[in-house]
Amino acid sequence: SYTPRRTSIGKTEQTLREIPQSVTVVTRQQMDDQNAINLSDALSRAAGITLYGNGDGASQFYARRNTMMVQYDGVPGFGSLASNQFDMAMYDRIEILRGPSGVLQGAGDPSGVANLVRKRPLREQALGVAMSVGSWKNVHAELDANLPLTEDGRLRARAVVAGDNRHFFYDRARDSNRMGYGIVEWDLTSSTTAALSMAYQRSKPTSFSGFPAYTADGRFLNLPRSANLDAPWTQYHRTTRETVLDVVHRFSEDWSLKGIVRRRDAAYDYVNGI
């Protein structure tokens, strides 16, 4: 459950033995066992990855002293992993390659790449429910439902909903996140599969960057640990939408043709003051 047989981080699926570079795969079972609900949780436990930031969706990830790039289902995406990402309940695994990724995808940075692989529908009916509770009223819940729409399973659907609320040790601080993901997959023939998916996420993170120290001697300000000097009316809202259409035709076990159209829109609405 922690070691996949094949990865899709390159142009074709292949075993870890066939990739001449360092590869780490964070599987679904590992994310569940370690309660990794966001990308920072999942990647901070992977070997060779450095996190810079406050742990929210805008954190930067580095490998070999350079910013990591991102893939989605084996197809290179635009930008780096700093872009806002969905709740990890949406993904089946994260495949991490450290070092130049041009060997496998034609172009890449010297740092590496993280491939986020979405959950796909299954041929049998299944239902999963998970919930976690932590300090400072940290609650996360998710529901994963899979339903074959035909008796033979050629047409099938899967839906994932997740949400969390979290308070902090400092005053007037609360994060909330709501995510929904749905995908329908259809076997057009025994060798061709088409899928359409939609995802939506609404986040309300807390803005807090700490306090400076005295420049003269480096001592910290004489403030209580729970102090928060941000204005009480400060608000941050982030909305992310994604639609994906993909078609895969398999010529043989080793040859396939994939076409994918992906659209992701992110909107920000914030009011800030000190």
Side-chain angles (χ1 to χ4, degrees):
S1 61
Y2 276 30
T3 306
R5 297 177 180 176
R6 301 174 70 88
T7 67
S8 57
I9 201 168
K11 294 181 179 180
T12 61
E13 289 191 357
Q14 50 198 321
T15 64
L16 297 180
R17 182 181 179 181
E18 297 172 309
I19 301 177
Q21 290 176 257
S22 299
V23 177
T24 300
V25 179
V26 183
T27 64
R28 180 71 259 170
Q29 185 66 52
Q30 184 176 347
M31 286 189 281
D32 291 340
D33 292 347
Q34 297 179 346
N35 195 30
I37 64 175
N38 56 50
L39 190 61
S40 298
D41 292 339
L43 292 188
S44 62
R45 301 180 177 96
I49 306 300
T50 301
L51 169 65
Y52 177 78
N54 54 9
D56 65 4
S59 298
Q60 292 275 4
F61 299 91
Y62 291 84
R64 304 191 175 181
R65 303 186 68 177
N66 289 277
T67 305
M68 292 191 67
M69 304 304 292
V70 62
Q71 284 185 356
Y72 301 100
D73 301 307
V75 179
F78 295 100
S80 66
L81 283 172
S83 303
N84 293 319
Q85 301 294 345
F86 289 96
D87 190 295
M88 287 296 101
M90 174 176 162
Y91 297 104
D92 178 73
R93 64 187 183 275
I94 304 174
E95 302 167 348
I96 305 166
L97 180 142
R98 295 181 295 280
S101 56
V103 173
L104 298 176
Q105 65 180 36
D109 283 357
S111 56
V113 63
N115 182 35
L116 279 62
V117 182
R118 295 171 301 149
K119 290 180 176 178
R120 310 289 292 204
L122 308 174
R123 290 183 176 272
E124 63 274 2
Q125 187 173 347
L127 178 66
V129 180
M131 183 175 181
S132 62
V133 180
S135 303
W136 306 105
K137 301 180 180 179
N138 186 1
V139 180
H140 180 269
E142 61 183 75
L143 173 67
D144 186 350
N146 188 87
L147 181 65
L149 302 180
T150 58
E151 291 185 1
D152 57 3
R154 290 183 57 191
L155 181 62
R156 48 200 179 272
R158 189 168 187 173
V160 180
V161 293
D164 64 85
N165 286 293
R166 180 182 181 184
H167 292 245
F168 297 84
F169 63 86
Y170 43 90
D171 300 331
R172 301 189 309 277
R174 176 185 176 185
D175 283 2
S176 65
N177 186 69
R178 303 291 183 269
M179 188 276 295
Y181 165 68
I183 180 172
V184 177
E185 195 172 64
W186 184 19
D187 293 332
L188 303 176
T189 67
S190 59
S191 302
T192 306
T193 302
L196 175 66
S197 71
M198 299 184 68
Y200 173 87
Q201 182 165 276
R202 176 74 167 173
S203 304
K204 297 181 181 180
T206 297
S207 172
F208 183 76
S209 53
F211 305 110
Y214 288 110
T215 57
D217 54 12
R219 290 185 298 111
F220 291 108
L221 301 176
N222 187 21
L223 294 172
R225 184 170 180 264
S226 60
N228 181 4
L229 301 184
D230 283 1
W233 39 263
T234 299
Q235 294 185 14
Y236 282 78
H237 294 170
R238 291 198 302 253
T239 303
T240 308
R241 296 178 176 88
E242 182 181 76
T243 304
V244 182
L245 173 64
D246 63 80
V247 180
V248 179
H249 179 75
R250 296 168 292 276
F251 296 98
S252 66
E253 183 178 351
D254 298 321
W255 290 88
S256 63
L257 177 66
K258 175 188 289 187
I260 183 168
V261 178
R262 180 186 306 274
R263 178 185 176 92
R264 175 176 289 197
D265 297 302
Y268 304 85
D269 181 15
Y270 62 90
V271 179
N272 189 20
I274 297 179

